[in-house]
Every structure is written in structure tokens, then in C-alpha cells.
Amino acid sequence: MTEDLALTPAAERVLDVASRLFYENGIHVVGVETIASEAGVTKKTLYDRFGSKDALVAQYLKRSDERYRAHVRAVVERRGRIAPANRLLLIFDALEEWIATENPRGCPFVNAQAELPDAAHPGREVIREQKQWLLDYLRALARDTGVRNPRKLATSLLTLLEGATVTASLGIVPGAVGTAKDVARQLVGAN
């Protein structure tokens, strides 16, 4: 997979265009000809930079993951010194902000997972790593609260977050993330 640090300006354009098109339209609907054309490059340039559409999909997901991780950390850390239980709940604030500004069509990883049935697709590993990172991050924050079983709490919170993300994207439960946060507050015993 092409690393972000090695991307040429043309490759950056390809990745930006592909990211937008994959998220807005779906991975299978968008062809490399469309991506190359909108990025102002040839298909040869696209393949020279990324190797394949599958590798481009994986890079799109990796970039999405990096941006989401940075956002979550920024929201959790910007509040300074607060009680560990309240710090854990900030994950829900981060999700709500992200959905409002970046992902109104739902989680790009869940969307991609539905389109990538082949377990060997390079994008599937990026998706797994993203969800594992979130679970590990929740576990670390849960550990800081002093709960007896941080692993179980983290698993419950991940389930709430993922459910809220999907429910919010469907628009059938107004305030889905806030509702999930209320349930999480009960689980962590925060005020």
C-alpha cells in the first residue's frame, strides 16, 4: 500500500477524488476511469501510484482512519483535566461532531465492509484495524475509570458507538448518538 508520505501531488488528487467518490457513491459503483478523469490524471498514473483499485480503496480507508483517530483524540484531550468517566463519554461527543461534519452517510468502514466480502481484500484489514484501535482506545479510557472489567465496558461502549453510527445514518432515531451516550453514562456511572 502506498504510504501518505510518499504521495505525489497527482496521487494526492487521486486519493482525494477517490475518497469523496467512494464515500458518496460506494466503492463498486466508482471506476478507475472516473477517478482518473476527475483527478485530472491518466489511468496509468493512478495505477503507477497505487497499483490497483483495491490498494486505492485500502489507502482511502487508511486515510479515513487516520483522520478519525486524530479527531477522537483531539476531542478527548481538549477538555483538559476531567473525571475519567466523563473523559470516556467524550468519545460520543467526538462521534456526534464527526457525523455532523464528515460522515452524514454513515461510517465509511461499515459501508466499505458491506461492499468488500472478500476477506483477503486489503481494505478489510484496514477496517479491522480501525475497529480494533477504537476498542483498545475505549479499553484504555475505561481502565482509567477504575471499573472492575474495562474490557467488558469497552466492548459495550463500542457496540453502542457502532449502533449509534448506523442508526444516525438512517435518520430514524433523532439524537441517536446522544441516546447512546445516555446509556453509556449509566454504564460508566458518570454524572
Side-chain angles (χ1 to χ4, degrees):
M1 182 174 2
T2 305
E3 293 300 320
D4 285 353
L5 296 175
L7 293 182
T8 64
E12 280 290 346
R13 284 194 315 276
V14 168
L15 183 55
D16 289 345
V17 166
S19 295
R20 177 178 52 80
L21 293 174
F22 289 155
Y23 184 73
E24 290 175 358
N25 302 297
I27 293 167
H28 289 307
V29 171
V30 177
V32 292
E33 290 177 10
T34 301
I35 295 167
S37 175
E38 288 201 27
V41 301
T42 64
K43 283 184 2 181
K44 181 181 181 327
T45 299
L46 185 149
Y47 286 118
D48 285 347
R49 301 300 182 266
F50 294 96
S52 67
K53 181 179 175 184
D54 288 351
L56 178 57
V57 168
Q59 190 67 20
Y60 146 66
L61 292 168
K62 181 179 178 208
R63 174 78 56 91
S64 295
D65 179 29
E66 291 166 352
R67 290 179 58 241
Y68 186 67
R69 288 182 195 206
H71 172 74
V72 168
R73 287 182 183 123
V75 170
V76 170
E77 294 167 11
R78 77 175 171 214
R79 302 286 165 85
R81 296 177 52 99
I82 63 172
N86 289 329
R87 179 173 300 286
L88 186 56
L89 294 175
L90 290 175
I91 300 282
F92 291 87
D93 296 345
L95 175 61
E96 195 162 45
E97 287 176 22
W98 191 257
I99 289 171
T101 61
E102 301 291 328
N103 290 148
R105 286 194 66 250
C107 175
F109 309 105
V110 171
N111 296 348
Q113 177 79 10
E115 286 198 70
L116 305 175
D118 181 2
H121 190 287
R124 291 283 296 262
E125 181 60 21
V126 177
I127 295 166
R128 191 199 66 70
E129 288 173 1
Q130 195 280 329
K131 298 306 178 187
Q132 186 63 55
W133 170 81
L134 186 53
L135 179 60
D136 293 344
Y137 190 63
L138 287 165
R139 189 178 305 128
L141 292 172
R143 202 171 303 127
D144 292 344
T145 70
V147 297
R148 204 146 136 249
N149 192 338
R151 180 181 198 88
K152 183 177 180 181
L153 177 58
T155 300
S156 296
L157 294 177
L158 179 65
T159 302
L160 284 170
L161 286 164
E162 292 299 313
T165 302
V166 171
T167 304
S169 73
L170 296 173
I172 57 172
V173 178
V177 178
T179 300
K181 183 179 179 181
D182 289 342
V183 173
R185 183 177 285 112
Q186 294 171 18
L187 291 174
V188 301
N191 296 322

